[in-house]
Amino acid sequence: MNFMEIAQNRQSCRSYNPDRMVEKEKLDSILEAARLAPSACNGQPYHLTVCHGEVAKEVAKASTGMGMNRFAAQAPVMIVISEEDYVKSAALGAKVKNNDYRSIDIGIVCAYLTAEAEAQGLSTCILGWFDDQKIRSLCGLNKPVRLVVTLGYAADGDPLRTKKRKSIDELVHHKG
């Protein structure tokens, strides 16, 4: 599968097969792709907590509410991405340039993780709605949780949906 196929096929899964577990070698490949993701000054200002079993179910519960993310309970794996401190050079650059490199780096690691999951035949959904304090407690974290990613096999019959995106002309302008 080449990158364009991954980009065309990857979608936010909202229906998982709760009985089909993620193989260790596939999970290891996904985590290795995340480890290789670029970050400001190679600082990797994030931590990944991989939740299975009862902990995954509790993280899923902490990611629902007001009708949001009910499907998360079906995912056999939940990956919690929490913030870590900058390395000194990235902290200085962030302050001098007034740019939040940590959030950018967390987005990049999440993109690598979800792209490799797609390449491995797995499905994901990136969640931004969750109870930070509850997940911190469940995972033993003392820094903010920034994203939670559901991971598993899509349920049989989960269709590939048409992507709704801006046209290339709306999104891109060339100068010079």
Side-chain angles (χ1 to χ4, degrees):
M1 186 177 282
N2 68 41
F3 187 77
M4 284 306 293
E5 291 169 322
I6 292 168
Q8 290 166 344
N9 291 319
R10 194 260 154 213
Q11 64 184 3
S12 294
C13 182
R14 303 256 187 331
S15 181
Y16 290 93
N17 179 344
D19 300 320
R20 191 164 176 203
M21 295 300 111
V22 175
E23 298 88 343
K24 182 182 181 328
E25 55 278 357
K26 289 186 177 187
L27 181 57
D28 289 347
S29 181
I30 291 163
L31 296 172
E32 179 64 8
R35 187 185 73 82
L36 295 172
S39 61
C41 303
N42 294 316
Q44 297 176 297
Y46 42 77
H47 182 80
L48 307 180
T49 303
V50 182
C51 304
H52 309 269
E54 288 305 313
V55 177
K57 289 178 184 183
E58 291 300 317
V59 169
K61 283 182 195 172
S63 301
T64 60
M66 296 180 65
M68 301 295 285
N69 304 329
R70 284 180 263 182
F71 60 88
Q74 303 166 342
V77 177
M78 303 289 284
I79 301 175
V80 175
I81 305 175
S82 56
E83 183 177 284
E84 288 293 326
D85 294 332
Y86 281 120
V87 295
K88 288 180 183 180
S89 55
L92 177 62
K95 186 170 183 135
V96 169
K97 291 300 180 180
N98 193 31
N99 204 344
D100 182 9
Y101 298 127
R102 187 171 25 225
S103 291
I104 296 165
D105 293 343
I106 288 170
I108 294 168
V109 77
C110 191
Y112 270 55
L113 186 154
T114 57
E116 181 59 18
E118 178 65 33
Q120 292 293 329
L122 292 157
S123 295
T124 57
C125 188
I126 304 164
L127 309 180
W129 178 282
F130 49 80
D131 183 331
D132 173 66
Q133 290 299 320
K134 182 154 188 160
I135 294 175
R136 281 196 213 191
S137 177
L138 288 165
C139 297
L141 301 169
N142 61 5
K143 298 277 173 68
V145 173
R146 293 300 179 208
L147 295 171
V148 176
V149 179
T150 60
L151 176 68
Y153 285 94
D156 290 340
D158 187 39
L160 182 61
R161 298 180 302 274
T162 302
K163 292 195 182 287
K164 297 175 185 172
R165 302 292 192 267
K166 293 179 180 179
S167 72
I168 198 74
D169 293 332
E170 290 175 287
L171 191 64
V172 177
H173 288 93
H174 296 267
K175 298 286 183 180

